[in-house]
Amino acid sequence: MYEPIRAKSVHTMAGTSSDFPHRSREEELDIQLAGHLAALLAVTDELRALAPSDDLDTAAARLAEQVARLRGGRTPARTSATATAAPHLAALHRRAHALAGRALVVAASRADTAAAILAAERMDAHAALLEPHELATH
């Protein structure tokens, strides 16, 4: 009924070596977590440009430290946002809250306590600056 397979599989069989490098699950989670924290850092920098505060300055420094740790000491790229075309602050806080939530999920999966605590603190900080119904509707 079916014709037998005559050629070798194009897929790598378990236990054989391949020509491309593989990353472990932990390395993949590190990359993902660093990406979420770097995105949160970018939004935090935007918020700092629009509404400077000591809390945001401290958060940005802590986020940059965590991203550098996860990237093997490489400091994250930073932008200096200007307040010329100021987006709505609530939208930035919603975006930061969502990014912190994603970072929290990955940090918990990776069992990275420092990053999880930082992400949870940032979620709380951004949620406190929004109306309670704003987070529920978006």
Side-chain angles (χ1 to χ4, degrees), residues 69-116:
R69 177 183 63 87
L70 291 165
R71 290 184 175 166
R74 289 180 292 147
T75 57
R78 305 284 298 269
T79 60
S80 59
T82 59
T84 54
H88 196 266
L89 284 176
L92 285 174
H93 284 295
R94 278 192 300 275
R95 187 180 327 150
H97 184 270
L99 287 167
R102 289 182 190 117
L104 178 58
V105 169
V106 177
S109 172
R110 192 184 165 279
D112 188 330
T113 306

Side-chain angles (χ1 to χ4, degrees), residues 6-73:
R6 295 185 183 143
K8 283 188 169 187
S9 173
V10 295
H11 303 286
T12 306
M13 300 298 289
T16 62
S17 63
S18 67
D19 294 338
F20 57 94
H22 292 280
R23 290 189 285 254
S24 68
R25 180 176 188 275
E26 185 174 304
E27 290 169 324
E28 290 291 341
L29 289 173
D30 282 349
I31 292 166
Q32 191 175 31
L33 181 57
H36 289 315
L37 292 176
L40 180 57
L41 177 59
V43 174
T44 302
D45 283 341
E46 283 184 62
L47 285 166
R48 289 175 57 221
L50 297 171
S53 75
D54 290 338
D55 178 53
L56 289 174
D57 292 342
T58 302
R62 291 178 64 202
L63 287 166
E65 178 183 304
Q66 289 297 317
V67 173
R69 177 183 63 87
L70 291 165
R71 290 184 175 166

